[in-house]
Amino acid sequence: MKSVQLTKNGYENLKKELEELENVKRKKAIDRLQKARAMGDLSENSEYTAAKEDLEFIERRITEIKEILHDAQIIEVDKNGKKIVQIGSSVIVEINGKKESFQIVGDFEANPMEKKLSHTSPIGQALINKKEGDWVEISAPAGKIKYKIVEIK
């Protein structure tokens, strides 16, 4: 696996999720599996099958998070007065007179519903290394969209 870029906050969130999976959810899933196994005939026991699948999902997620954390490169936002968009930056842009706020994050932290955009997404790529006052143009299915960078935090 190649290096995974994460913000410090994203790294900490993954560590918390890993701890929760290993110390709480795994134990509950094992308990559930043991109770389902005790119900009898495993070939027709849907609770056993569901509990087994749940435990397998948890184990896969634990492995995935461990790999991500092992290969993580924590990106710190440069606070030395350089006002350029980088991973970890919060950016306020203006689109057709409306202001919109985004945070630029690594791929594994991206969540458009929370306005966290990957640096490899079309908008993220367009904003990276730009400064306040710059205009960027992004091609979208509906046509080209112009963003003006109003503020970088």
Side-chain angles (χ1 to χ4, degrees):
M1 188 177 224
K2 64 178 183 168
S3 178
V4 176
Q5 295 178 320
L6 295 171
T7 62
K8 186 168 180 59
N9 189 40
Y11 184 85
E12 293 302 321
N13 287 342
L14 279 176
K15 281 177 49 177
K16 286 178 191 172
E17 182 182 350
L18 179 61
E19 187 176 318
E20 171 84 7
L21 287 168
E22 288 181 323
N23 299 322
V24 178
K25 291 186 177 182
R26 178 192 275 159
K27 289 176 183 174
K28 286 182 181 179
I30 290 170
D31 248 11
R32 180 179 171 205
L33 184 64
Q34 289 173 340
K35 287 176 185 171
R37 185 179 287 142
M39 290 180 191
D41 185 7
L42 300 181
S43 64
E44 295 181 17
N45 187 335
S46 62
E47 176 60 21
Y48 174 78
T49 302
K52 187 175 164 186
E53 288 171 357
D54 189 36
L55 182 59
E56 288 171 357
F57 174 80
I58 289 168
E59 293 298 337
R60 280 193 307 272
R61 183 65 179 153
I62 288 171
T63 300
E64 178 184 33
I65 291 173
K66 284 182 175 180
E67 287 175 4
I68 292 167
L69 293 175
H70 178 267
D71 297 326
Q73 174 189 4
I74 299 173
I75 305 297
E76 295 286 336
V77 177
D78 183 4
K79 302 279 187 185
N80 295 329
K82 291 182 184 175
K83 286 285 196 167
I84 61 167
V85 179
Q86 54 192 317
I87 295 175
S89 294
S90 290
V91 184
I92 297 174
V93 296
E94 190 174 300
I95 313 156
N96 299 327
K98 290 183 181 177
K99 289 186 179 176
E100 191 84 41
S101 180
F102 301 112
Q103 183 181 15
I104 306 301
V105 296
D107 290 330
F108 283 94
E109 294 176 77
N111 184 340
M113 299 302 287
E114 294 178 4
K115 303 288 186 177
K116 292 182 178 183
L117 304 179
S118 166
H119 68 290
T120 59
S121 70
I123 297 172
Q125 285 179 333
L127 293 173
I128 286 287
N129 294 322
K130 300 295 189 279
K131 57 186 186 299
E132 289 179 3
D134 284 354
W135 285 86
V136 296
E137 189 172 86
I138 294 131
S139 294
K144 294 196 185 283
I145 303 171
K146 287 187 177 186
Y147 293 83
K148 180 181 181 184
I149 300 172
V150 177
E151 185 179 355
I152 302 169
K153 301 182 205 172

